[in-house]
Amino acid sequence: MKTFFADGKGKGHFENLPEPALKENEILVKICYCGVCGTDQDLFSGSCSFAENGQVTYPVRLGHEWSGIVEKVGSSVTKFKLGDRIVGDNAVACGECEDCTNGDFDKCPNTRYVGTIDPVYDGAFSEYFVIPEHHVYKIPDGISLKEAALCEPFSVAYGATKRMNINSESTVAVIGTGCIGMAAAVLSICAGAGKTVVIGRNPEKLKAAKALGAEIINIRNQDRFEEIDRMTGGKGADFVIECSGAQGTFTDSINLARGGGIIGLIGFYEKSETDVNVDTIVSKSLNIFGVMGEYGNMSGVLKILEQKKPNMLPIITDELNFEDCMKGFVRSNYPNSIKTMIKICEE
Ligand SMILES: [Zn+2]
Ligand SMILES: [Zn+2]
């Protein structure tokens, strides 16, 4: 099976590996699509804090945003059969410790991270991929394998929207036009938000946000505070989802939120935000939380996709064949890309 390895420093290579052996609780997946994440690009370049702090062991098998088809199942697998269309979690628990035995997979002390940092679990930029049954989910009918490869970033965004009581009266402001921002906007729309507003600066990406059904604010030529005030009758956003990690956007979030508003932080910041006005947080009684992936988010996302069948395709701005995937790992090749999808096998 053809498998891609990142070697760091902007280099990578393919290897032809033998078909892996299966443990009884594991599934062999024929990978159809795997999305390129910003983390993949960082790890490929090697110039990121993870690599610099020695949290990555090269060569590394990247790929944690995959969709595929069940090719073979281990002897104890009961929930999946040959030909099922599936996606999976971005972290893999050992399945053997006390927590795993109790079904508390997110407490497993032996968790490995799919295709990223140590302790690493071999990623999915490969023709075949092995994963335990308890991390696998069926793709609902009507969702294509290509769209389904967006489920992992959607599961990250869902960590914010599931903590927000979004309804038809709500205004949700999403800062950032990357894949997570788009996913947050789609989930907000699916939750029935009265207004979902994506705030960014790249006109191409904002166009995609509009195609998804969001309203947009381009900070290059619009004042985000005036616009949100106008849209909400001066009240401010009920919910703010910060997905950009850009300097100043934490302060923006505080200022965009209404009194009693809720702010979910998904973006990672390169530097500490030093200029935060804590008094604004206190006087507006804001509720602020951070989002990291959790076990269970994937099934939550799949349920929403099954019920609402949102149009996700505008998020996939670029597509490459597997042999050309290295092009997709170089960020500067695709300055307007929201999600570059690698097609690994025919469906
Ligand atoms: Zn990712
Ligand atoms: Zn465990």
Side-chain angles (χ1 to χ4, degrees):
M1 60 176 197
K2 190 169 159 183
T3 301
F4 177 77
F5 290 86
D7 299 322
K9 299 193 171 126
K11 293 202 162 57
H13 69 278
F14 289 95
E15 273 178 44
N16 221 334
L17 302 179
E19 187 185 294
L22 280 190
K23 290 192 199 132
E24 57 177 18
N25 68 334
E26 288 178 334
I27 291 174
L28 181 70
V29 192
K30 179 185 167 192
I31 297 292
C32 293
Y33 289 94
C34 192
V36 176
C37 176
T39 307
D40 296 324
Q41 295 172 324
D42 288 340
L43 295 180
F44 182 74
S45 76
S47 50
C48 60
S49 57
F50 296 136
E52 282 151 15
N53 300 339
Q55 287 173 277
V56 189
T57 308
Y58 292 103
V60 58
R61 266 179 69 172
L62 302 175
H64 58 274
E65 302 182 0
W66 58 271
S67 65
I69 296 171
V70 174
E71 177 83 8
K72 207 183 258 185
V73 295
S75 57
S76 72
V77 171
T78 55
K79 294 197 196 97
F80 300 91
K81 58 177 192 318
L82 242 80
D84 281 348
R85 303 175 331 128
I86 55 170
V87 290
D89 289 320
N90 58 13
V92 172
C94 73
E96 285 162 10
C97 69
E98 204 185 325
D99 290 317
C100 284
T101 315
N102 293 333
D104 293 330
F105 296 112
D106 53 351
K107 290 197 192 126
C108 173
N110 312 312
T111 294
R112 286 178 290 162
Y113 304 100
V114 180
T116 54
I117 55 167
D118 289 331
V120 75
Y121 186 93
D122 285 342
F125 282 112
S126 175
E127 286 173 317
Y128 292 94
F129 173 76
V130 173
I131 185 162
E133 179 178 26
H134 56 262
H135 289 300
V136 174
Y137 310 87
K138 272 188 198 139
I139 300 168
D141 291 342
I143 304 287
S144 68
L145 279 152
K146 196 201 281 191
E147 290 168 290
L150 294 170
C151 285
E152 191 277 339
F154 266 69
S155 75
V156 175
Y158 181 63
T161 55
K162 76 172 183 182
R163 291 184 170 81
M164 294 172 168
N165 181 24
I166 297 169
N167 62 41
S168 59
E169 305 283 298
S170 314
T171 298
V172 181
V174 176
I175 304 175
T177 52
C179 184
I180 304 285
M182 297 295 163
V186 170
L187 290 171
S188 162
I189 292 165
C190 287
K195 278 195 175 69
T196 300
V197 189
V198 173
I199 303 171
R201 57 168 73 234
N202 180 316
E204 289 302 313
K205 296 184 186 182
L206 286 169
K207 216 185 275 173
K210 211 168 188 178
L212 295 169
E215 298 180 49
I216 56 173
I217 297 173
N218 188 335
I219 60 169
R220 279 190 181 157
N221 50 33
Q222 288 173 295
D223 184 311
R224 51 210 178 279
F225 306 110
E226 276 176 20
E227 288 300 311
I228 289 288
D229 270 356
R230 184 181 59 76
M231 291 174 180
T232 60
K235 196 174 67 147
D238 301 284
F239 305 102
V240 181
I241 306 176
E242 205 304 283
C243 309
S244 75
Q247 217 181 348
T249 53
F250 180 55
T251 296
D252 279 5
S253 305
I254 294 166
N255 291 326
L256 289 166
R258 70 159 163 84
I262 296 177
I263 299 172
L265 302 173
I266 307 184
F268 273 102
Y269 290 77
E270 289 287 308
K271 291 186 199 139
S272 299
E273 291 279 280
T274 49
D275 209 15
V276 175
N277 190 337
V278 176
D279 288 354
T280 310
I281 301 174
V282 175
S283 62
K284 286 171 91 169
S285 304
L286 297 178
N287 195 335
I288 302 174
F289 64 89
V291 175
M292 276 297 283
E294 294 141 298
Y295 189 74
N297 281 1
M298 194 65 108
S299 39
V301 163
L302 288 163
K303 206 173 283 172
I304 293 168
L305 299 185
E306 181 172 20
Q307 287 167 358
K308 306 283 177 180
K309 300 236 177 349
N311 177 17
M312 300 151 84
L313 285 176
I315 299 172
I316 302 171
T317 46
D318 303 275
E319 190 178 326
L320 292 168
N321 287 325
F322 193 22
E323 53 271 25
D324 301 321
C325 69
M326 264 195 271
K327 246 195 252 171
F329 293 133
V330 179
R331 198 174 262 129
S332 56
N333 286 343
Y334 296 95
N336 293 320
S337 175
I338 299 169
K339 179 58 67 187
T340 298
M341 196 56 81
I342 309 297
K343 184 179 182 181
I344 298 194
C345 286
E346 290 298 327
E347 292 172 24

